[in-house]
């Protein structure tokens, strides 16, 4: 048996609610149950996560697996929980140290090949995480610059689940071919550390240290209405 937890964020309108993603492994017939008021796209994460884990070189646990999303009363939707679900499962299976992910907020969709794909709402999600006291977040590389606009938060942008697992296990970070998507913020914004880009890697335990440069909204791609509002 094993238990681990990671965190993600559910967006309810423009407000974010931090969600604890709990994974529990028990002896029994291999099965994957997802509970906690997920919508259809989130239920489908069971297949995405399993394929991504296997294609990232990790072993999928052949036990009875239950993943709970807490608080259960908050509706949850979208594919942004994939990264947290995958890490919680691997933590419960002791493929990674459960303590290394317990206070990390993870946002991102997983492709079947293990690549981390961008999702909408990263900025309000990271703002909600910061307001709740979380100081470490993992996001897709394409939206890392957007997440870095939130002060006091250490941001790690990753291209794949394989890269994230290497960081969590303190192993050399593999380089991954970058898939540029037009209209996405540049992950180099605010001097962000991106695995595989020669800028170092890791999740700092404290707030990210600034280099004196202030974020400029002119560097944000798209998001015309929010920029005008700010």
């Amino acid at each position: 048996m094993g238990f681990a937890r990671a965190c993600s964020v559910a967006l309810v309108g423009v407000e974010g609610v931090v969600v604890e993603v709990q994974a529990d492994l028990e002896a029994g017939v291999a099965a994957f149950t997802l509970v906690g008021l997920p919508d259809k796209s989130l239920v489908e994460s069971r297949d995405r996560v399993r394929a991504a884990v296997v294609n990232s070189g990790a072993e999928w646990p052949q036990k009875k697996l239950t993943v709970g999303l807490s608080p259960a009363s908050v509706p949850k939707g979208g594919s942004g929980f994939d990264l947290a679900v995958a890490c919680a499962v691997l933590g419960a299976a002791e493929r990674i140290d459960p303590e290394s992910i317990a206070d990390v907020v993870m946002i991102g969709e997983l492709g079947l090949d293990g690549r981390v794909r961008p999702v909408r709402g990263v900025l309000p999600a990271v703002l909600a995480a910061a307001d709740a006291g979380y100081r470490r977040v993992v996001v897709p590389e394409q939206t890392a610059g957007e997440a870095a606009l939130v002060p006091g938060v250490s941001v790690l942008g990753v291209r794949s689940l394989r890269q994230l697992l290497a960081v969590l296990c303190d192993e050399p970070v593999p380089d991954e071919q970058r898939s540029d998507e037009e209209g996405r913020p540049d992950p180099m914004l605010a001097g962000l550390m991106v695995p595989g880009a020669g800028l170092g890697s890791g999740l700092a335990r404290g707030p990210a240290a600034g280099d004196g440069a202030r974020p400029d909204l002119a560097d944000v791609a798209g998001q015309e209405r929010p920029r005008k509002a700010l």
Side-chain angles (χ1 to χ4, degrees), residues 150-181:
V150 180
V153 175
S154 176
V155 178
L156 178 68
V158 294
R159 300 176 188 172
S160 68
L161 178 61
R162 192 192 309 270
Q163 284 190 335
L164 177 55
L165 295 180
V167 172
L168 294 173
C169 295
D170 197 22
E171 297 175 352
V173 178
D175 195 10
E176 300 279 2
Q177 184 177 1
R178 182 174 175 179
S179 176
D180 292 320
E181 295 191 22

Side-chain angles (χ1 to χ4, degrees), residues 124-215:
V126 176
L127 282 169
D131 289 343
Y134 291 88
R135 293 293 175 260
R136 301 191 295 161
V137 299
V138 178
V139 298
E141 184 187 63
Q142 295 96 322
T143 56
E146 185 179 346
L149 293 173
V150 180
V153 175
S154 176
V155 178
L156 178 68
V158 294
R159 300 176 188 172
S160 68
L161 178 61
R162 192 192 309 270
Q163 284 190 335
L164 177 55
L165 295 180
V167 172
L168 294 173
C169 295
D170 197 22
E171 297 175 352
V173 178
D175 195 10
E176 300 279 2
Q177 184 177 1
R178 182 174 175 179
S179 176
D180 292 320
E181 295 191 22
E182 188 176 356
R184 294 291 180 183
D186 188 345
M188 301 297 289
L189 180 64
L192 187 68
M193 295 189 301
V194 179
L199 294 178
S201 61
L203 286 171
R205 285 286 174 182
D211 58 0
R214 299 182 61 184

